[in-house]
């Protein structure tokens, strides 16, 4: 892949996608979003990649938001296209058929926070800082912040964060369940890789179907979600790995999954 704003690295059975504009604190311009769309679309059909890590280049920032220099030029019709494009990229990530881990290494503001909210698993470094400061620019979030944040924390706190632009640090994000763990900056990527490696070893069809079932919790009511779970459960029982996993348990040995 020919990329100018992202770094892409494949390691064993997982990939690391690094947003690489450190001089602009990895702000999301049109090129970054276009390349994210390209990379995630490609990754979705690569069977050998079973987990993806997203992070930001440099020690200071995950992503400090959408690129304000681009936003500044938008008129009303262009702004709609702009928001819909960013939303489509983050929805692609949220609906990926392989787990996406956000390794949040500093500022996660505006579009950076929205990118984090669209990932399946979030871990961060001690210097992470989260916020939706769009209101201070005379704006509102346009890449899903008003929709995903209230689904992750209380609607009251989401309203306060969106309306005041207040930022929250790593420990507060941990207490709120917005991130699973907080690590020293130098430990963040190794820990993300450890997790990606662990998930990559799990049977791929079961992992994919867990993601589909989780997706249904965002899209449906309980009864419809339970019907989807039952269907996915039955389909998973048709896989070679299901037969191997259950047989290995009964034979008291480690399963040898083939991801089929
Ligand atoms: N869009 C475009 N450029 C951005 C940016 C953004 N969202 N965030 C940071 N940058 C650029 C700065 O303009 C600066 O570029 P320059 O060196 O060419 O002037 C560079 O990144 C470094 O940022 P700077 O502000 O000097 O770093 P800082 O450590 O003093 O402050 C922040 C860091 C994150 C507090 C500050 O950059 C900031 O508030 N950024 C905007 C956050 C925001 O509102 N995001 C939502 C956007 S919708």
């Amino acid at each position: 892949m020919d990329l100018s704003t992202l770094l892409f690295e494949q390691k064993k059975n997982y990939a690391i996608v690094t947003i690489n504009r450190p001089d602009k604190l990895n702000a999301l311009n049109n090129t970054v979003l276009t390349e994210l769309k390209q990379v995630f679309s490609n990754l979705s059909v690569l069977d050998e990649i079973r987990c993806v890590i997203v992070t930001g280049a440099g020690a200071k920032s995950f992503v400090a938001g959408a690129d304000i220099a681009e936003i500044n030029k938008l008129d009303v019709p262009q702004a709609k296209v702009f928001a819909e494009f960013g939303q489509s990229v983050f929805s692609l990530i949220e609906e990926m058929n392989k787990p996406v881990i956000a390794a949040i290494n500093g500022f996660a503001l505006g579009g950076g926070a929205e990118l984090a909210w669209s990932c399946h698993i979030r871990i961060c470094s001690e210097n992470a800082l989260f916020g939706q400061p769009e209101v201070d620019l005379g704006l509102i979030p346009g890449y899903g912040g008003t929709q995903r944040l209230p689904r992750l924390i209380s609607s009251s706190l989401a309203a306060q964060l969106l309306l005041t632009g207040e930022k929250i640090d790593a420990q507060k994000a941990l207490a709120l369940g917005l991130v699973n763990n907080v690590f020293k900056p130098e430990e963040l990527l190794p820990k993300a890789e450890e997790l990606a490696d662990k998930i990559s070893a799990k049977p791929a069809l079961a992992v994919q179907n867990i993601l589909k079932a989780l997706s249904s919790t965002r899209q449906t009511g309980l009864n419809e979600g339970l019907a989807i779970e039952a269907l996915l459960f039955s389909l998973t029982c048709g896989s070679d790995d299901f037969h191997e996993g259950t047989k290995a348990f009964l034979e008291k040995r480690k399963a040898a999954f083939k991801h089929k």
Side-chain angles (χ1 to χ4, degrees):
M1 278 178 273
D2 193 15
L3 301 168
S4 63
T5 61
L6 302 182
L7 303 174
F8 178 84
E9 191 179 1
Q10 181 173 350
K11 288 205 169 174
K12 297 194 214 167
N13 292 110
Y14 59 88
I16 305 176
V17 177
T18 305
I19 298 167
N20 187 32
R21 295 183 77 208
D23 56 324
K24 296 290 178 191
L25 303 183
N26 305 318
L28 302 171
N29 63 10
N30 186 265
T31 311
V32 177
L33 289 173
T34 302
E35 292 187 352
L36 281 173
K37 192 161 202 168
Q38 184 191 345
V39 164
F40 277 89
S41 300
N42 290 348
L43 284 172
S44 71
V45 293
L46 282 183
D47 286 344
E48 68 270 25
I49 302 283
R50 295 198 281 273
C51 193
V52 185
I53 296 168
V54 183
T55 193
K60 195 170 163 181
S61 183
F62 174 65
V63 170
D67 193 318
I68 298 168
E70 283 187 358
I71 296 177
N72 172 257
K73 299 188 180 74
L74 298 174
D75 62 21
V76 170
Q78 288 166 338
K80 187 152 182 286
V81 173
F82 175 94
E84 286 170 351
F85 180 55
Q87 287 178 0
S88 76
V89 178
F90 290 1
S91 292
L92 173 71
I93 291 172
E94 189 174 49
E95 296 301 320
M96 272 290 279
N97 56 356
K98 37 206 88 185
V100 183
I101 301 170
I104 302 151
N105 57 314
F107 295 119
L109 302 175
E114 291 166 304
L115 171 59
W117 311 151
S118 69
C119 293
H120 304 118
I121 295 176
R122 287 170 292 280
I123 60 175
C124 75
S125 55
E126 289 167 343
N127 63 328
L129 196 67
F130 299 84
Q132 300 276 182
E134 290 87 345
V135 71
D136 291 325
L137 299 167
L139 270 176
I140 74 164
Y143 293 167
T146 66
Q147 303 305 305
R148 291 195 176 96
L149 186 58
R151 287 168 161 85
L152 295 171
I153 58 176
S154 77
S155 59
S156 166
L157 183 55
Q160 184 173 328
L161 293 175
L162 292 162
L163 292 169
T164 63
E166 285 168 11
K167 299 178 180 67
I168 57 174
D169 65 14
Q171 288 305 329
K172 178 93 194 266
L174 180 66
L176 289 169
L178 277 171
V179 296
N180 298 358
N181 301 94
V182 178
F183 297 107
K184 292 187 188 313
E186 65 277 15
E187 287 176 2
L188 179 66
L189 201 53
K191 290 290 183 186
E193 292 195 49
E194 213 176 274
L195 187 55
D197 198 32
K198 186 177 189 177
I199 293 171
S200 302
K202 306 294 179 193
L205 187 73
V207 169
Q208 277 172 29
N209 285 343
I210 288 168
L211 290 177
K212 281 186 194 161
L214 287 172
S215 166
S216 77
T217 68
R218 297 188 289 270
Q219 316 291 348
T220 69
L222 180 63
N223 286 342
E224 203 183 328
L226 288 172
I228 290 169
E229 183 188 77
L231 178 65
L232 291 166
F233 177 87
S234 66
L235 292 173
T236 314
C237 286
S239 67
D240 292 352
D241 284 342
F242 157 72
H243 294 291
E244 167 60 10
T246 48
K247 194 160 174 276
F249 176 83
L250 296 172
E251 292 171 358
K252 300 190 186 303
R253 61 176 173 82
K254 192 173 173 351
F257 293 122
K258 294 191 176 126
H259 307 286
K260 288 181 182 161

